Amino acid sequence: MNATVVLEHVTKAHGQMVAVNDVSLSMKSGEFFSILGPSGSGKTTILRMIAGLDVPDSGTIMIQQRVVNADPPHVRPVNMVFQHYALFPHMNVFDNIAFGLRMRPEAGRNIRQAVERMVALVRLDGKSQRFPGQLSGGEQQRVALARALVNRPVVVLLDEPLAALDQQLRQEMQGELKRLQQEVNATFICVTHQQDEALTLSDRIAVMHAGTLLQVGTPQEVYDQPASSTVARFIGLSNSLSGTMTRLENNVCWIEHEAFPTLMARYPSGAAAHGPVTVMVRPERLHISLDVPDKGYDNTLPAVVHHIMFHGNEMAYQFRLRNEAVWTARVPIGETRRAQLAIGQAVYLQWAVHEGLALVP
Amino acid sequence: MRHYSSHVFPLPVSFSFWAAGLFLCLFFLLPLGVVLGVSLASRGLYGGVQWIGTFENYRRLADPMIGVIFVRSILFASLTTLVCAVVGFPLAYMVARASQRWQLVWLTLVMIPFWTNFLVRTYAWVLILRADGLVNSLLLQLGIESEPLPLLFTDLAVGVGLVYGYLPFMVLPLIVAIERIPPQLEEAAYDLYASVGAMFRHVVLPLSKPGFWAGGVLVFIPSLGAFITPYLLGGGQKMMIGTLIQQEFLVSRDWPFGSALSFGLMGTALVLWFVVSRTSLGKDVQ
């Protein structure tokens, strides 16, 4: 597969703040590529630079093997779906979608046909005479998508496409996005701060933090082998404990901590490094045993229940460890019935080797 | 809506209703009634008003001479509004899209002329435009012209004065309207292959319509009845409604006819407003 969009050593500063710092990326043709990061990590700036709405301070941006640094947005084969959709309020759905085609004489005379096909594709049949103000959030989102896709762009840029929708609609639109992407077969570059969104939708994910690219990989890779503890934290590995690596064998390492028994965890980075490491465990992977540690787990940490939160389908427990660190465990509601935990109760947190991850901090 | 709020806040709503009503009665309807009364009275032998009812004053409005004056005034007001819109839009756009700090600077600069009396500012234009004024001495000095151009007391001078005087009334509502347009809409247009010109034509201009309407009314109505500018810069040679009314009241001392002229002016403005707002141009105003 050839690369549709390539960024080479791209840097962009907004005044004093470096928004994007020496980022190199390459998006393959036809893939769903997500840029994941907290707000202010520079992900939207990357999107705007690909669209041509921002100009990089240094580095090159190529679209289809052509350097586009100096091209204004209206000549790039790229269309953007803006965060708040940016639909034209004085035009109805039809005119909004037709806008891009009407701006390009070479788009041909079959505008009506093309727009109607798009209206059907995003399931807005019968609504093409409505104005944006008369549409629900989900419908506006579809119009924004159709307005971009009707131009048959090589690359579709999506800026937090689902952020303005409520939970249920978001899940519905996730499926819709994936379906549309496969149907039009364009490269989708999506910016989001929601890890589940990125994991579900993407072929590949780039994780960004404070203007720097931390890791690029498939959702599986990023999820299972985060390159650093920052990436790990960002994709839901929230429990961590720092210790010293004393032994490394077959990608499994032994970690010593003065307050706890020896822990074992996967060490995927492969680099032999005896020294400080951070052990990380996902909240949903922790096993809680009450009076005595259960058998069959490689790691056991004594802890005290600190806080209990009811989340409807699951319970979230916060524990305080001996070193004052706070860990979280998430337990599906069906499993909590076995034993009720009380604040202040002493328990054991347990997990198997492969469920913990050791990372160089 | 009004019904609902009157239940929740019975006192403030009825209070503000009566307060606004009282204000309107005292300062608008009452004077208007007086003028209407005077317009139906007769002129005394030595000026003054004789309370003898007559429609004679309104009959005199049908005079073709008066018609010419009305048409001329409407033309001047229309042209002034048009020029103000064309000149005001780029200015308003620049101010609306400036950073907050610059916006304050520009707005202050737009407002500064209002700190000086309108009459004084119009006199300043006399100094600029007259035969030995700023423009002519500059043209002579630079050798562009050998004779001073007759600038003062021309239609051009009146037009310049009117545009100068009422431009801020166009610019301010336009700034408000443009500021309400999210800049993201402009980016979306560019992203959808619009050139700068196409972006303005299809996005910013149509969405600025409310500003053009408010500004247009604020410029058109006062320039229709303007009298200082045509008098000082036009030399009173070509009569306008404003100057005519002023003359009837202060020079000819024919208050009843001046009052009838005033009502004629108001009626003209109302009819024009009605006609324009019925056309497709004004369909989003109602």
Side-chain angles (χ1 to χ4, degrees), chain B residues 94-109 179:
Chain B
M94 189 192 73
V95 177
R97 289 291 186 245
S99 69
Q100 220 158 28
R101 230 183 77 222
W102 278 108
Q103 205 167 44
L104 197 71
V105 173
W106 296 131
L107 273 176
T108 312
L109 287 177
E179 266 200 307

Side-chain angles (χ1 to χ4, degrees), chain B residues 187-206:
Chain B
E187 292 186 340
Y190 290 134
D191 183 64
L192 293 163
Y193 316 110
S195 59
V196 177
M199 190 284 290
F200 273 104
R201 207 162 51 247
H202 295 291
V203 178
V204 177
L205 282 175

Side-chain angles (χ1 to χ4, degrees), chain A residues 276-311:
Chain A
V277 286
T278 303
V279 185
M280 308 193 87
V281 191
R282 288 181 195 286
E284 64 272 20
R285 298 283 167 82
L286 281 177
H287 172 80
I288 306 161
S289 50
L290 299 180
D291 305 317
V292 285
D294 287 340
K295 293 213 163 42
Y297 293 94
D298 307 286
N299 299 292
T300 301
L301 284 181
V304 174
V305 180
H306 176 60
H307 197 60
I308 301 173
M309 282 167 291
F310 176 63
H311 281 301

Side-chain angles (χ1 to χ4, degrees), chain A residues 48 74 79-80 86-87 90, chain B residues 185 187 190-191 193 202 207:
Chain A
R48 292 175 57 86
H74 67 269
N79 287 112
M80 181 136 160
L87 300 178
H90 57 302
Chain B
L185 293 186
E187 292 186 340
Y190 290 134
D191 183 64
Y193 316 110
H202 295 291
L207 289 173

Side-chain angles (χ1 to χ4, degrees), chain A residues 78-92:
Chain A
V78 162
N79 287 112
M80 181 136 160
V81 176
F82 288 84
Q83 185 171 3
H84 301 290
Y85 316 137
L87 300 178
F88 304 121
H90 57 302
M91 299 180 195
N92 62 22

